[in-house]
Amino acid sequence: MLSKCIFLALLAVVAAQEEPVERKPFKPPPVSVPPSIRFEELPLYVQEMLSRQNVNPFQPSQDNPTGHGPGSFMMGFPGVPGKPGMNGRNGLNGPRGPKGDQGDPGLDGLMGQQGIMGKPGLPGPRGHRGFPGRGEAGAKGERGYPGVPIVTNPPRGALWKQCAWMGESDLDSGIIKNCTFRKQSADTYLRVAFSGNLRVGGCTNCCKRWFFTFNNTECSQPVPIDAAIYVAGPTYANPLRPRYIEGYCGRIPTGPINISFKVESCTGYNEGDAYTGWNSASRMIIEEVAPPMQ
């Protein structure tokens, strides 16, 4: 419909440029223009439609005696296409639409390339202890060297005694504990040991010595069994620590032996405050053993 209106407007312009002649209005027959006809094809299409209806606007007729008028026109060349118009302004943003339904899960992607090796991680926690394994039996070892004869009366470990006690002693010199042991053989040794808390305090450049005696005599075969604790200071130091003193002594006769654990000051050092035992048990261990290897 728009194309038809444009064509009739062109006919009106051509008619306005001609000399005025008294004539009857030309009534062109109605022509239907399909929407598929482009503007530059419109004149040829109209001319074709008029020729099919035996209408010639250039020939005189009862309605148009002179053959001129609004239907008289000359077909011109198609005009040069105009330049594209400027883009219009962007319209306002419309309101936000409602949230759509959740889409179907996508397909799994392709496997990526292997990444760069990362840094070693922190050590993990220690695992649970495994079940005991059982391997195959090893090869038979070589024959050993002949052993050294030992005293069989008593065998090692057969005779031993422990004297244990709770409590503390603030004695600075004297016997801390006595323990009696009956020795069975003249050529065996006695192994003695002390385990408990000891300390020296309240002094500077001071020292205390703890030692064993056998029937009130220190061991001489091979050396005394003792230990010394030295404190340089300050006077408020109180180094209560667990201590362990152990040794072997020979040339002790058979029969009952009175074994004592004692304390005294060290020669050449200041007196100090000795303390034996604290907040735990103390013990003496005595064992008759075979003599040492020669």
Side-chain angles (χ1 to χ4, degrees):
M1 182 60 68
L2 178 61
S3 301
K4 181 178 180 181
C5 293
I6 295 174
F7 177 69
L8 294 177
L10 292 175
L11 293 178
V13 173
V14 174
Q17 293 178 355
E18 294 181 354
E19 296 179 358
V21 178
E22 185 179 355
R23 62 177 66 88
K24 295 180 180 180
F26 175 71
K27 297 180 179 179
V31 177
S32 178
V33 180
S36 61
I37 299 300
R38 294 179 298 179
F39 178 76
E40 59 269 17
E41 298 173 347
L42 185 59
L44 293 178
Y45 178 78
V46 173
Q47 185 177 2
E48 177 67 22
M49 293 295 102
L50 292 176
S51 63
R52 290 184 181 181
Q53 299 178 18
N54 295 323
V55 176
N56 187 357
F58 298 99
Q59 297 296 328
S61 63
Q62 183 178 359
D63 295 331
N64 187 17
T66 62
H68 299 281
S72 177
F73 64 92
M74 293 289 290
M75 181 179 299
F77 294 100
V80 179
K83 297 181 179 179
M86 298 178 64
N87 295 332
R89 296 182 179 178
N90 296 332
L92 299 177
N93 295 331
R96 184 171 183 178
K99 184 177 181 181
D101 297 334
Q102 183 175 357
D104 297 331
L107 300 176
D108 294 338
L110 299 176
M111 182 178 293
Q113 297 179 355
Q114 184 174 358
I116 302 174
M117 181 177 293
K119 297 180 180 180
L122 299 175
R126 185 173 183 178
H128 299 290
R129 184 175 182 180
F131 296 103
R134 184 173 182 178
E136 298 180 357
K140 186 177 181 180
E142 298 179 357
R143 185 180 182 88
Y145 296 103
V148 178
I150 62 173
V151 177
T152 58
N153 185 23
R156 177 177 174 80
L159 298 175
W160 66 275
K161 183 177 181 180
Q162 174 179 254
C163 296
W165 69 97
M166 296 291 297
E168 299 86 17
S169 173
D170 196 24
L171 188 67
D172 294 329
S173 180
I175 298 175
I176 302 296
K177 188 71 173 176
N178 285 322
C179 190
T180 303
F181 183 86
R182 181 174 294 276
K183 194 168 182 290
Q184 302 296 318
S185 301
D187 58 350
T188 57
Y189 275 59
L190 290 182
R191 169 185 170 270
V192 292
F194 169 82
S195 174
N197 291 322
L198 303 175
R199 76 108 166 94
V200 178
C203 57
T204 58
N205 192 33
C206 52
C207 175
K208 287 294 182 180
R209 172 177 176 264
W210 282 264
F211 58 98
F212 287 94
T213 61
F214 303 84
N215 291 335
N216 207 29
T217 303
E218 285 197 66
C219 181
S220 60
Q221 179 61 30
V223 291
I225 303 173
D226 62 350
I229 299 177
Y230 169 81
V231 175
T235 57
Y236 57 81
N238 189 27
L240 275 168
R241 301 288 186 273
R243 321 283 181 174
Y244 185 78
I245 305 172
E246 179 186 15
Y248 294 82
C249 189
R251 295 182 183 176
I252 299 176
T254 60
I257 308 295
N258 185 32
I259 302 171
S260 302
F261 186 62
K262 300 180 179 181
V263 61
E264 67 179 8
S265 298
C266 303
T267 304
Y269 293 90
N270 295 332
E271 292 286 336
D273 181 17
Y275 206 84
T276 305
W278 178 78
N279 204 28
S280 65
S282 302
R283 59 182 46 83
M284 293 171 57
I285 300 175
I286 305 168
E287 182 182 7
E288 186 173 357
V289 298
M293 297 174 59
Q294 301 299 325

